[in-house]
Amino acid sequence: MDLAAQLEALRDDGAARLTAAADADALEQARIELLGRNGALKDLKDAFKTASPEDKRSCGRLLGEVDQALKAAYEARDKSLQGAVDSSAIDITLPGEDRRAGSIHPISQVAWEVEQVFSSMGFDVVDGPHIEEDEFNFTRLNIPPDHPARDSQDTFWLSTGKLLRTHTSSVQSRTYPDTQPPIRKVVVGKVFRYEEVDATHDNTFTQVEGFLVDEQITVAHLVGTLQTMIKAVLRRDDVEIRLRPSFFPFVEPGFEVDVRSTSATGRFSNWVELLGCGMIHPKVLKMGGIDPERYQGFAFGLGLERLAMIRHGIEDIRLFNGADLRGLRQFAG
Ligand code: PHE
């Protein structure tokens, strides 16, 4: 093979080999063999030096071309290999990265809706502490120390003598001393009971307490308010409510309220107990510095989990505070 043919072969085959190098190691090997100090190009350059003047004339330009072509091919491949990811570092069998958006907890959803309904009826949305004084949780609600009614709300006592509030009625007794009627307030918050946990009881749950104090307030106002709220939150018009007489020390008369749907089938076609309520006891108003001769009021306390369970057909209250996201995710969006 004459020199020109050798140069052409090196240009074509060498460039092709550099371009096809599978990885950095293969490229480096090809570079050494083609462009290195003892490589193929160097051999041909040496051959050129000793070539006949005729060959030198005809091959000078070709030699320059080969040199350039190989270097360009090397650089292009080097660049593309550096840009590429090292495929051996990727395990394509690994599960992908899971980026789920968070969602609003079903209890928060219901809580916001309840707050909205009451805001629309002119109630202030207020708050109170979880760690409560005995006085506000019990005494000022007409449950004196050592009264047996305390047993109806199993209590987490703290070593300081304070307690985790057992109901949101504590926000009533906190509110009265500083406020004169008209009062319309609603509070949504966690309450705590030393209770055995099962499908319908949790030791930590959420209550809504609504209370209203004004002149000439009757049970009819209470019933109308409850109906408005329940229909809005259950998102149906076919709900009936019924009041059963019941005892809570801070109301007189007191009731328990059941709801049912006139068109639903299944559990909700029967009466479901939903909340406690009544006309605020005159003693509670008096302890709060409000004249019970002039003012009356109603109050109610409702478990939000119960409401959310009816609304979504949830069978087990432990879903709400449990860590099983498969349950909670169903209420996203
Ligand atoms: N606080 C009561 C409970 O938790 C509910 C209630 C509130 C009853 C207001 C009457 C009036 O059981």
Side-chain angles (χ1 to χ4, degrees), residues 198-251:
D198 63 25
T200 54
H201 298 88
D202 205 344
N203 52 30
T204 301
F205 57 101
T206 317
Q207 272 191 339
V208 186
E209 183 100 1
F211 50 103
L212 180 150
V213 186
D214 207 337
E215 286 173 290
Q216 316 213 336
I217 298 302
T218 71
V219 174
H221 294 111
L222 168 61
V223 172
T225 307
L226 291 176
Q227 268 169 340
T228 305
M229 186 252 316
I230 291 166
K231 282 183 182 169
V233 177
L234 293 183
R235 295 182 179 157
R236 49 203 303 166
D237 270 329
D238 62 344
V239 283
E240 280 184 315
I241 71 170
R242 108 179 148 182
L243 274 62
R244 282 180 290 114
S246 184
F247 173 73
F248 301 96
F250 31 95
V251 288

Side-chain angles (χ1 to χ4, degrees), residues 153 167 169 172 193 207 209 248 250-251 276-278 299-301:
Q153 297 191 349
H167 53 181
S169 301
Q172 278 190 60
R193 301 217 184 147
Q207 272 191 339
E209 183 100 1
F248 301 96
F250 31 95
V251 288
C277 63
F300 62 86

Side-chain angles (χ1 to χ4, degrees), residues 98 100-104 106 319 324-333:
D98 190 5
R100 274 173 207 259
S103 61
I104 309 293
L319 170 97
D324 191 343
L325 295 179
R326 289 172 306 177
L328 295 174
R329 279 185 182 138
Q330 295 172 52
F331 306 98

Side-chain angles (χ1 to χ4, degrees), residues 3 39 44 54 95 150 180 233-234 311 333:
L3 185 59
L44 292 186
E54 199 180 312
R150 289 198 173 201
Q180 281 299 308
V233 177
L234 293 183
R311 171 159 137 180

Side-chain angles (χ1 to χ4, degrees), residues 226-227 230-231 234-244 256-275 307 310:
L226 291 176
Q227 268 169 340
I230 291 166
K231 282 183 182 169
L234 293 183
R235 295 182 179 157
R236 49 203 303 166
D237 270 329
D238 62 344
V239 283
E240 280 184 315
I241 71 170
R242 108 179 148 182
L243 274 62
R244 282 180 290 114
E256 240 154 303
V257 175
D258 303 332
V259 288
R260 75 167 173 194
S261 154
T262 47
S263 62
T265 51
R267 221 173 82 141
F268 195 32
S269 61
N270 288 321
W271 292 109
V272 178
E273 186 187 315
L274 190 62
L275 60 91
L307 198 59
I310 295 175

